[in-house]
Amino acid sequence: MTPEPAPYVGAMSAFALADLGGHDRVTLAQNESAFPPSPLAIAAGCAAAARSHLYPDPDWTLLRDALARAYSVDRDLILCGNGSMDLIACTIRAFAHAGSEVLATDYAYNFSAAATAQAGAVFVKAREADFIVSVDAMLGAVTPATRVAFVCNPGNPTGTRIANSEIVRLRAGLHPDILLVVDQAYGEFDDQDPRPIFDLVARGDTVVLRTLSKAYGLAGARVGWGLFPPAIAAEVRKMQNSNGVTTVSLAMAVAAVDDQGYMRRIVSQTAAIRDRFAAGLRQAGLEVIPGSTNFLLVRLSDPEAARATERSLREAGVIVRGVGGYGLADCLRITIGPEEVMSRVLGLLVGSFAA
Ligand SMILES: Cc1ncc(COP(=O)(O)O)c(C=O)c1O
């Protein structure tokens, strides 16, 4: 006899990360930043390492202050976490339970499905049209069991976004007893004013999540944050590890957030590389889904072409993300890396389709 997991845990699959195939590869499979963090963040992290004999500040005081300054938001609404994955998991686990439903969309970020399974709840996908979230489909998929609605804007793996006004319409159409979670992990790459979405938090039934993993280049430091109505925050904090963001990560995050100029340069340089890469692929006849993030979804003729392309890039030492697990077996998701890497990948892709 061996110890048995809880039945819903036994029934879950482990969360699938990209197969990176060793450390000598160019990895364009995890939507990491093409650029390292701000030099000020690196210096702050090094200095903070000397304080690692002490536990970190469990209230993220300096980081909340820095985020409040940079985003013009109320510091008291901010929760921080060990990456936004921590906040996604704790929020879903706090509000969904066995027998309840988490409503998302066809190509919703996979981890929201994993977090739903961790809560023993059911993940329901509303139809997306042309890789774009449909608010009407989401509203049509609400049932009496819906506890949480999760929308990622811009989306991963699609890279597409809907207008803020659509998110506002979604909120208005959901009953206030359904918690709306708006995941804006790529929000800094979106050209829309974040204010109308941040303002939804004051209603008391909406959470907005952000991360320092993408635009700030801090994926390895694991720092996410979000705006939470106080009553929702109180429940989510019960689910969190109270020392989940390390002293070094907090120091790096404060310095990175204070260096808004560096972040904006990363975002605009990444977008410029992305747009050149997309133009090159389209010129070669490939279908590229128009994206507002630091990655692109490329659609091949069929699943076999996608697999063959992924394989040939892997053989050339470049790892991209097959997205068959999202039901997009004919697509590849390609993170935008540095210019020279993307020129090489463009050459490989164009060469393999010309051959
Ligand atoms: C949409 C979305 N949300 C959240 C995350 C998690 O980010 P992190 O836990 O690094 O903050 C990711 C990471 O790729 C993502 O794509």
Side-chain angles (χ1 to χ4, degrees), residues 157-238:
T158 59
T160 61
R161 69 152 171 82
I162 56 174
N164 283 339
S165 56
E166 282 293 278
I167 303 272
V168 172
R169 187 166 75 83
L170 172 63
R171 178 64 272 179
L174 292 169
H175 194 277
D177 71 359
I178 297 175
L179 179 67
L180 174 63
V181 180
V182 187
D183 179 350
Q184 297 192 318
Y186 303 93
E188 286 78 8
F189 292 94
D190 188 350
D191 58 359
Q192 301 185 91
D193 177 5
R195 178 86 14 220
I197 305 307
F198 290 171
D199 285 349
L200 290 175
V201 175
R203 292 174 45 111
D205 53 14
T206 303
V207 165
V208 182
L209 300 179
R210 293 246 168 171
T211 181
L212 272 69
S213 295
K214 311 299 176 183
Y216 292 91
L218 283 176
R222 312 302 303 124
V223 188
W225 65 281
L227 296 174
F228 291 74
I232 306 290
E235 304 306 325
V236 172
R237 287 202 77 160
K238 292 179 193 169

Side-chain angles (χ1 to χ4, degrees), residues 277 280-288 298-313 320 329-332 334 344-355:
F277 181 63
L281 291 176
R282 290 195 181 108
Q283 221 165 25
L286 285 160
E287 183 181 349
V288 183
V298 181
R299 191 184 204 178
L300 287 305
S301 53
D302 55 52
E304 185 40 46
R307 278 193 293 275
T309 305
E310 187 188 352
R311 252 191 330 267
S312 68
L313 287 174
V320 299
D330 55 350
C331 295
L332 294 175
I334 306 180
R344 183 168 159 244
V345 175
L346 180 62
L348 288 167
L349 283 169
V350 170
S352 76
F353 283 92

Side-chain angles (χ1 to χ4, degrees), residues 15-17 30 80-93 109-112 114-116 118 150 156 183 185 209-214 219 222-225 228 236 239-240 321:
F15 183 59
L17 288 169
Q30 302 201 108
C80 301
N82 181 252
S84 56
M85 290 169 91
D86 176 34
L87 294 168
I88 292 169
C90 291
T91 304
I92 291 181
R93 288 208 309 265
Y109 175 45
N110 255 350
F111 186 70
S112 55
T116 302
Q118 288 172 354
F150 186 95
N156 171 19
D183 179 350
L209 300 179
R210 293 246 168 171
T211 181
L212 272 69
S213 295
K214 311 299 176 183
R222 312 302 303 124
V223 188
W225 65 281
F228 291 74
V236 172
M239 306 301 283
Q240 282 193 289
R321 190 73 174 257

